[in-house]
Amino acid sequence: MKRPVTLTINGAPHAVEVEPRALLVQVLRDDLNLTGTHVGCDTSQCGACTVLIDGHAVKSCTVFALQAEGQAITTIEGIGSAEKLHPLQAAFWEKHGLQCGFCTPGMILCAADLLSRNPDPSEVEIRHAIEGNLCRCTGYQNIVAAIQSAAAAMGGTNAERTPASTTAKPAGVPAGAGV
Ligand code: FES
Ligand code: FES
C-alpha cells in the first residue's frame, strides 16, 4: 500500500506516493524522471546512485524514499546546469575525467561532499573519498585530476601538484554523462 511523501529535491518539494519498500533511487528515476542518478548494482557496491542528503554523499539504493522525507536531497540535475556547470562538472569535462559517463554523476556528488569538508584534499584523500565509487573505464587517474582541478577552482590550492593532474586531454562530454 502506497504512502504519500514529500521529498525536497534540488530545492523543490515533490509530492509522491510510494510503497514503503521503494528505494530512493527508484523514486528519483521512476517517479520523478531524475535519471542522472544511475543504478549500477542495486547492492551498495558501485556508487553510481550517489546523491547528497543534507550535504552528505549517500548511495540512494541504500535508503528508503520514506526515510529521506524532511531532508535536502541533491541530485546531479541540481548541482549545475548546461549553462552554468558546477566547477566539478567543468573540471571533469576539461580533465577528461570520464569515458562512458555512467559513474560520473555519483563521482561528482561524492567529490562535492569531499570538497565541502576538505577544500584542499591530497591525492590520497581524494582516492580514499571515492573508493566507494567504481569506474570501469578511466583508471581513475583523470578523475583524481578533475577533482584536484575543481578544488583549485573552488579556492583550494592542491591542484596541479601531483602526477595525476598532468594527464589532461581535450574532451567533449559524451551523451548520457549526466554532467
Ligand atoms: S546502484 Fe547503488 S551502489 Fe550501485
Ligand atoms: S564507468 Fe565509464 S566513465 Fe566511469
Side-chain angles (χ1 to χ4, degrees), residues 24 51-60 63 67-68 71-74:
L24 178 58
V51 300
L52 298 180
I53 297 182
D54 286 344
H56 302 289
V58 174
K59 293 175 177 175
S60 60
V63 179
Q67 291 177 295
Q71 301 178 78
I73 302 162
T74 304

Side-chain angles (χ1 to χ4, degrees), residues 17 24 39 49 63 85 89 111 124 126 134 137 154 158 162:
E17 294 201 348
L24 178 58
V39 179
C49 63
V63 179
L85 296 178
Q89 293 172 309
V124 169
I126 291 171
L134 303 182
C137 304
M154 295 166 70
N158 204 35
T162 69

Side-chain angles (χ1 to χ4, degrees), residues 38-50 59-62:
H38 294 163
V39 179
C41 66
D42 241 348
T43 54
S44 75
Q45 307 290 315
C46 74
C49 63
T50 301
K59 293 175 177 175
S60 60
C61 74
T62 67

Side-chain angles (χ1 to χ4, degrees), residues 99-101 103 135-138:
Q99 289 184 25
C100 80
C103 71
C135 177
R136 59 192 162 188
C137 304
T138 66

Side-chain angles (χ1 to χ4, degrees), residues 46-160:
C46 74
C49 63
T50 301
V51 300
L52 298 180
I53 297 182
D54 286 344
H56 302 289
V58 174
K59 293 175 177 175
S60 60
C61 74
T62 67
V63 179
F64 293 120
L66 289 175
Q67 291 177 295
E69 187 164 38
Q71 301 178 78
I73 302 162
T74 304
T75 69
I76 193 67
E77 290 88 351
I79 201 168
S81 66
E83 296 73 31
K84 187 173 182 182
L85 296 178
H86 186 281
L88 276 162
Q89 293 172 309
F92 269 68
W93 184 347
E94 290 162 4
K95 297 294 184 183
H96 200 42
L98 67 156
Q99 289 184 25
C100 80
F102 195 82
C103 71
T104 310
M107 285 287 186
I108 286 177
L109 290 167
C110 185
D113 178 13
L114 169 66
L115 297 184
S116 72
R117 292 180 284 107
N118 180 359
D120 189 21
S122 67
E123 179 174 349
V124 169
E125 289 171 328
I126 291 171
R127 289 184 181 275
H128 178 69
I130 63 172
E131 66 185 6
N133 291 65
L134 303 182
C135 177
R136 59 192 162 188
C137 304
T138 66
Y140 299 94
Q141 196 78 350
N142 286 4
I143 291 174
V144 174
I147 296 171
Q148 289 175 312
S149 180
M154 295 166 70
T157 58
N158 204 35
E160 318 301 344

